[in-house]
């Protein structure tokens, strides 16, 4: 079996591109094709350099891990450390899937070679694996979109004679509860209350518009902060047609992914 470095470079670029797009699908984030292509080209150069010498098994594993970290960093920079490590893990998971397809193809057709722990196969086999990888990306995208569609719902807030309908996200990470009754709390953006209660109201002056018996202090704790949010006992909240009388909402002055974040208890 002959290996041409220019073909090897092109093959690595194609495979890294597919792996990065698959990683973005698994992470439910967007990745522009141009950014993925540039990172894949860097990965292609590394793949060629990785092939030329014969590495010890541990050295080959270390070099492969470093190359994976570098490729993901170039594709998704700038990114927080936690999210970066998560996407590196997803990238390696996708690599194992693609590597499994290559090993299967090599065993099925009896053609190919392994060097430094990497399977190298014929071009027709590679196109079959790339096609299977592309098909896997599309199927995964559809499944993720279908699942995401189920977690987004219509939320109607009722206060006196006013009603505001917004989109809400069912977030299992939102564990906010009202401390006395342990009732689940819905997090809403500040502009929602301006439309529902009064244009001049905000998290600081809500007592001017809301009776004290309807106000609540909602404690929260995140990775880097903790404190309290102002909560309101509304007349009712309707979620996809299911009405919840006396539901509690907490005001968030920051921009959220959706206008309302529903508690896991909801």
């Amino acid at each position: 079996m002959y290996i041409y470095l220019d073909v090897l470079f092109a093959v690595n670029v194609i495979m890294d591109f597919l792996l990065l797009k698959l990683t973005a699908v698994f992470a439910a984030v967007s990745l522009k094709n141009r950014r993925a292509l540039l990172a894949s080209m860097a990965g292609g150069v590394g793949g060629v350099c990785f092939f030329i010498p014969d590495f010890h098994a541990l050295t080959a594993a270390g070099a492969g891990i470093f190359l994976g970290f570098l490729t993901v960093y170039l594709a998704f920079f700038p990114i927080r450390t936690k999210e970066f490590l998560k996407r590196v893990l997803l990238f390696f998971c996708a690599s194992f899937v693609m590597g499994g397809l290559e090993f299967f193809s090599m065993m099925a057709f009896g053609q190919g070679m392994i060097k430094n722990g990497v399977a190298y196969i014929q071009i027709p086999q590679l196109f079959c694996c790339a096609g299977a990888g592309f098909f896997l990306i599309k199927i995964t995208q559809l499944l993720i979109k279908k699942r995401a569609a189920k977690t987004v719902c219509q939320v109607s807030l009722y206060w006196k004679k006013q009603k505001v309908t917004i989109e809400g996200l069912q977030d299992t990470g939102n564990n906010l509860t009202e401390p006395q009754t342990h009732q689940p709390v819905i997090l809403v953006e500040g502009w929602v209350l301006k439309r529902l209660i009064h244009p001049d109201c905000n998290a600081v002056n809500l007592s001017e518009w809301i009776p004290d018996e309807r106000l609540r202090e909602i404690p929260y704790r995140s990775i880097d902060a903790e404190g309290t949010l102002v909560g309101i006992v509304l007349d009712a909240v309707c979620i996809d047609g299911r009405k919840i009388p006396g539901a509690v909402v907490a005001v968030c002055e920051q921009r959220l992914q959706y206008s309302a974040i529903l508690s896991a208890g909801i």
Side-chain angles (χ1 to χ4, degrees):
M1 180 177 180
Y2 295 97
I3 302 292
Y4 298 95
L5 294 184
D6 55 344
V7 176
L8 180 63
F9 170 76
V11 165
N12 274 281
V13 170
I14 294 172
M15 300 307 291
D16 283 343
F17 181 86
L18 286 172
L19 290 174
L20 288 172
K21 297 297 286 186
L22 189 58
T23 299
V25 170
F26 285 152
V29 297
S30 61
L31 176 62
K32 293 183 178 180
N33 290 335
R34 183 175 61 180
R35 188 75 176 268
L37 181 60
L38 290 175
S40 300
M41 292 177 68
V45 173
V48 171
C49 296
F50 183 74
F51 173 80
I52 295 175
D54 291 319
F55 289 114
H56 184 272
L58 292 178
T59 305
I65 291 173
F66 172 78
L67 189 59
F69 270 76
L70 178 63
T71 303
V72 174
Y73 180 80
L74 293 175
F76 295 102
F77 175 84
I79 185 175
R80 294 181 178 178
T81 303
K82 184 178 179 180
E83 284 297 317
F84 170 67
L85 294 176
K86 183 190 299 184
R87 291 176 200 179
V88 167
L89 179 60
L90 292 172
F91 179 79
F92 283 122
C93 288
S95 299
F96 284 129
V97 171
M98 197 66 70
L101 291 173
E102 293 180 3
F103 276 111
F104 174 79
S105 174
M106 189 171 61
M107 293 177 62
F109 293 97
Q111 295 180 336
M113 63 175 289
I114 298 177
K115 183 175 181 181
N116 294 329
V118 179
Y120 296 91
I121 56 179
Q122 300 287 348
I123 294 297
Q125 299 171 249
L126 181 67
F127 279 128
C128 290
C129 292
F134 181 78
F135 179 75
L136 180 62
I137 289 175
K138 290 300 180 182
I139 292 297
T140 307
Q141 261 183 330
L142 291 175
L143 291 176
I144 289 177
K145 286 182 178 180
K146 185 177 180 180
R147 182 181 177 186
K150 292 182 179 179
T151 61
V152 177
C153 51
Q154 293 294 315
V155 180
S156 297
L157 310 178
Y158 296 87
W159 176 256
K160 296 184 178 180
K161 295 182 180 181
Q162 299 297 320
K163 173 187 173 182
V164 173
T165 300
I166 54 179
E167 280 192 335
L169 176 68
Q170 298 176 10
D171 185 4
T172 56
N174 176 14
N175 294 311
L176 290 177
T177 56
E178 200 279 319
Q180 295 181 359
T181 63
H182 302 290
Q183 184 177 351
V185 175
I186 302 171
L187 196 62
V188 299
E189 292 181 333
W191 69 266
V192 177
L193 295 184
K194 290 180 181 292
R195 185 178 298 178
L196 181 67
I197 299 172
H198 194 278
D200 295 330
C201 75
N202 54 56
V204 177
N205 65 7
L206 272 176
S207 58
E208 298 180 15
W209 315 99
I210 307 294
D212 291 341
E213 62 270 17
R214 290 290 194 100
L215 294 176
R216 299 288 188 271
E217 287 188 357
I218 311 298
Y220 73 91
R221 178 179 295 178
S222 62
I223 297 176
D224 54 357
E226 61 180 38
T228 58
L229 297 171
V230 180
I232 305 171
V233 181
L234 296 179
D235 294 338
V237 169
C238 189
I239 302 173
D240 279 348
R242 182 170 61 93
K243 200 165 187 178
I244 305 174
V248 181
V249 299
V251 187
C252 180
E253 296 295 345
Q254 297 179 353
R255 189 73 176 174
L256 302 173
Q257 184 179 2
Y258 285 83
S259 299
I261 305 296
L262 306 184
S263 170
I266 294 288

